[in-house]
Amino acid sequence: MSNAMKELIEGLSQPQKMISPKYFYDEVGSQLFEEITELPEYYLTDAELEIMRRYVDEMVELIGKQASLIEFGSGSSLKTRILLGHLDELAAYVPVDISADHLQASAQQTRRDFPELAVHPVVADFTRPFDLPTPDITPVKNVIYFPGSTLGNFEYAEAMELLRVMRDEAGDGGALLIGLDLQKDPDIIHRAYNDSEGVTAKFNLNMLRHLNTNYGANFDLDAFEHRAEYDEEKGRVVLELVSQKDQNVTIGDAEFAIADGETILTEYSHKYTLKGFARMAHDAGFEVEKVWKDPDKLFSVQYCVRA
Ligand code: SAH
Ligand code: AVI
């Protein structure tokens, strides 16, 4: 049985059923995420783009020349384009993503937009060990780029593990440039995950279609509803799919009974304080050197060096 299948069955066997958010991202899921980033309620992307545009010169100065830029969860590389447009001497750009077709398409676009740049896409699940390509030009340093607040989709222990992997990948003299959503008025956060057009609901439900198509599951897509609540105390949004009836679902040889009203947890989206993240970075072997925020202080981009 594949690792993915084992992981899915294990998650659905817990008292609180859960499916990792990485299963959002097949081609349709990646497209739906792009639609989310264009929603007026989803402030995260606009705020991060604003930070990138305002402070790109300072970021480029810190990254320096002949670095290798390794991006985790690169998606459409939208924010990266701002950096790439200003980093004129880069050893390589290595976008890493689990969503294979979407990654290849955006890497092609990046090559067209930056013909001089060495672009080496890597299709991988970054929560498992994976190999990075050796660039033709030996980089002066590795800079890990992790935008979009994707770190927030991991619980504390997993996030720490990921930060430690990034610290190791950064190597001596390396750095981490990371985008993180900040704690704020709960209503603003609630609206971002309960948009009026229902795109986030489609994104959440698409996970079940992805599992039906690619993992032989038989979820009834009409028998689940999207729910997203912000838990202010824990500083995180909880995304769930709520069963609308008593039902049995099979995946591979495993069968699961799901009761009416029972939930499948599909994602956490943690929101950070500057102090909280500084402590996490420190404990993972990084020191935060510079923090940039948008004018409304909704979002942050942080440059961390290896301690
Ligand atoms: N960085 C982009 C996209 C964020 S969406 C932005 O800021 O807009 C999260 C991205 O991470 C998606 O492209 C998804 O396919 C990818 N992703 C999620 N989990 C992953 C995993 N475990 N391994 C590799 N990529 C992953
Ligand atoms: C990719 N990730 C940071 C998004 C987030 O906001 O947590 C995924 C998402 N989930 C619902 N809307 C967007």
Side-chain angles (χ1 to χ4, degrees):
M1 194 188 293
S2 70
N3 282 334
M5 205 63 157
K6 270 190 220 143
E7 181 181 61
L8 287 166
I9 291 173
E10 199 183 304
L12 289 167
S13 306
Q14 306 293 319
Q16 167 62 71
K17 294 184 171 57
M18 54 183 83
I19 305 172
S20 161
K22 68 187 171 203
Y23 294 100
F24 282 137
Y25 302 98
D26 64 344
E27 208 176 346
V28 178
S30 293
Q31 189 49 47
L32 285 167
F33 179 73
E34 294 310 320
E35 284 179 38
I36 288 176
T37 64
E38 286 159 19
L39 293 167
E41 294 100 329
Y42 195 74
Y43 60 85
L44 290 83
T45 307
D46 283 346
E48 190 171 17
L49 283 169
E50 170 77 15
I51 299 169
M52 299 306 290
R53 290 192 193 105
R54 274 181 185 236
Y55 302 109
V56 65
D57 290 339
E58 292 179 26
M59 294 177 195
V60 164
E61 182 73 28
L62 287 167
I63 293 170
K65 292 192 188 303
Q66 298 295 340
S68 178
L69 190 70
I70 302 160
E71 179 169 2
F72 278 53
S74 50
S76 64
S77 299
L78 182 66
K79 294 144 197 172
T80 329
R81 276 160 213 284
I82 299 175
L83 280 176
L84 296 178
H86 288 75
L87 280 164
D88 49 2
E89 279 183 56
L90 203 57
Y93 170 49
V94 183
V96 180
D97 207 289
I98 201 166
S99 189
D101 294 340
H102 193 63
L103 173 66
Q104 298 303 353
S106 41
Q108 274 305 97
Q109 188 58 47
T110 308
R111 285 195 185 103
R112 278 195 288 273
D113 294 345
F114 303 95
E116 308 288 304
L117 182 64
V119 181
H120 301 295
V122 174
V123 179
D125 174 353
F126 57 56
T127 62
R128 300 184 189 279
F130 66 98
D131 291 327
L132 284 170
T134 317
D136 297 338
I137 303 170
T138 306
V140 168
K141 66 176 167 192
N142 287 339
V143 176
I144 311 296
Y145 184 39
F146 197 26
S149 206
T150 301
L151 185 74
N153 297 138
F154 294 87
E155 285 200 78
Y156 180 81
E158 300 164 331
M160 289 302 292
E161 178 57 31
L162 201 47
L163 287 171
R164 289 193 186 103
V165 167
M166 291 181 181
R167 180 187 173 277
D168 291 346
E169 295 294 357
D172 281 341
L176 166 69
L177 182 66
I178 186 166
L180 296 167
D181 197 13
L182 299 174
Q183 293 184 8
K184 61 183 68 66
D185 176 353
D187 287 343
I188 297 179
I189 299 177
H190 185 84
R191 280 197 292 275
Y193 294 84
N194 291 280
D195 65 276
S196 54
E197 291 170 43
V199 183
T200 311
K202 272 195 210 157
F203 173 73
N204 198 2
L205 283 156
N206 176 65
M207 181 187 268
L208 302 183
R209 195 201 47 77
H210 176 38
L211 297 188
N212 285 354
T213 310
N214 297 300
Y215 295 91
N218 68 345
F219 286 98
D220 174 357
L221 304 192
D222 295 325
F224 288 89
E225 269 183 14
H226 163 73
R227 181 191 286 165
E229 309 261 5
Y230 181 55
D231 180 340
E232 196 175 357
E233 206 176 303
K234 293 206 167 86
R236 66 188 185 191
V237 177
V238 182
L239 243 78
E240 294 170 312
L241 289 165
V242 189
S243 176
Q244 299 302 299
K245 61 178 189 189
D246 290 333
Q247 51 182 316
N248 286 325
V249 172
T250 60
I251 177 159
D253 294 334
E255 181 168 285
F256 302 96
I258 308 180
D260 189 6
E262 192 178 346
T263 61
I264 302 174
L265 172 64
T266 51
E267 185 181 60
Y268 288 125
S269 190
H270 290 82
K271 310 302 169 193
Y272 296 91
T273 60
L274 295 186
K275 226 168 138 184
F277 178 70
R279 198 176 316 117
M280 283 176 77
H282 175 83
D283 292 349
F286 282 114
E287 293 303 333
V288 177
E289 194 171 293
K290 180 84 195 169
V291 177
W292 300 274
K293 284 183 269 174
D294 57 293
D296 296 325
K297 300 184 172 46
L298 298 173
F299 201 91
S300 69
V301 176
Q302 311 200 20
Y303 188 81
C304 312
V305 291
R306 269 178 55 132

